[in-house]
């Protein structure tokens, strides 16, 4: 019995330590398709940005101002497409960052005619959108806006579920 209790205690300590560095998160919704699908399990590195800032193309998890059914702030999973100090606008569904078109391998189908006026990303903030732009509430919405670094939980680094799609999550763009 003592051995069992000792093993449980060790497992609890190891789990606690791991949770300081990596956090498992389940994807909910289709805003990141086809990169991530609802039900996917991913690991989020909580230390990825301790030494280097986020980069364009990183998929991040952040605490938004949106509320869930229990009145708590929702965590969202989105891709960073504009960095602090950059100017971003959308013309006819095409994303322009500092006047240059962002080619990010995301389908523009259904985005034709979509426009967003120019926004200058504040210092310490990031402009984050879902890969499935037609079905994503993200930085384009006044309810979300640009994301302050202080609200970013971490970088999505690995998909562990479903098992047949287990692999590192790459930065895209």
């Amino acid at each position: 019995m003592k051995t069992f209790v000792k093993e449980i205690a060790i497992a609890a300590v190891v789990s606690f330590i791991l949770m300081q560095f990596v956090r498992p998160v389940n994807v909910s919704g289709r805003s990141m398709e086809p990169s991530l699908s609802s039900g996917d399990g991913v690991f989020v590195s909580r230390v990825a940005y301790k030494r280097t800032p986020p980069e364009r193309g990183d998929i991040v998890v952040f605490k938004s101002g949106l509320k869930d059914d229990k009145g708590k702030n929702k965590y969202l999973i989105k891709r960073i497409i504009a960095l602090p100090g950059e100017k971003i606008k959308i013309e006819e569904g095409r994303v322009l960052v500092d006047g240059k078109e962002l080619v990010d391998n995301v389908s523009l189908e259904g985005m034709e005619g979509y426009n967003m006026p120019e926004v200058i990303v504040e210092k310490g903030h990031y402009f984050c959108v879902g890969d499935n732009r037609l079905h994503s509430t993200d930085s384009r919405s006044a309810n979300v806006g640009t994301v302050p670094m202080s609200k970013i939980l971490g970088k999505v680094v690995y998909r562990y579920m479903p098992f047949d799609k287990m692999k590192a999550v790459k930065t895209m763009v």
Side-chain angles (χ1 to χ4, degrees), residues 58-164:
D58 286 356
I59 298 175
V60 295
V61 173
F62 61 92
K63 191 174 194 175
S64 75
L66 301 174
K67 303 291 183 190
D68 64 16
D69 297 336
K70 297 177 183 175
K72 294 184 178 184
N73 291 77
K74 282 185 178 181
Y75 282 92
L76 301 178
I77 299 177
K78 307 294 177 190
R79 187 178 302 280
I80 295 173
I81 64 168
L83 306 172
E86 293 183 330
K87 296 176 186 174
I88 181 168
K89 72 178 177 176
I90 301 175
E91 291 180 348
E92 299 297 318
R94 294 178 12 257
V95 176
L96 303 171
V97 177
D98 288 339
K100 297 178 185 166
E101 186 173 0
L102 179 68
V103 180
D104 58 0
N105 299 321
V106 174
S107 172
L108 295 178
E109 185 177 336
M111 293 296 292
E112 305 86 1
Y114 178 82
N115 296 297
M116 181 192 80
E118 185 173 87
V119 172
I120 299 174
V121 182
E122 297 174 56
K123 180 179 180 183
H125 285 67
Y126 297 86
F127 197 92
C128 303
V129 298
D131 287 354
N132 186 354
R133 300 213 176 119
L134 282 178
H135 302 283
S136 179
T137 302
D138 49 41
S139 288
R140 297 172 293 165
S141 165
N143 294 329
V144 176
T146 59
V147 180
M149 183 64 206
S150 63
K151 298 290 184 184
I152 296 177
L153 175 67
K155 177 180 178 178
V156 175
V157 293
Y158 195 83
R159 177 178 19 212
Y160 65 88
M161 291 279 292
F163 294 123
D164 62 331

Side-chain angles (χ1 to χ4, degrees), residues 42-62:
V42 296
F43 286 127
V44 177
S45 170
R46 297 178 64 140
V47 296
Y49 301 128
K50 294 293 183 200
R51 294 181 186 227
T52 60
E55 298 177 1
R56 184 180 343 277
D58 286 356
I59 298 175
V60 295
V61 173
F62 61 92

Side-chain angles (χ1 to χ4, degrees), residues 26-33 36-41 161-162:
N26 288 320
V27 177
S28 176
R30 57 186 189 166
S31 72
M32 285 304 295
E33 290 177 347
L36 299 172
S37 299
S38 193
D40 284 359
M161 291 279 292

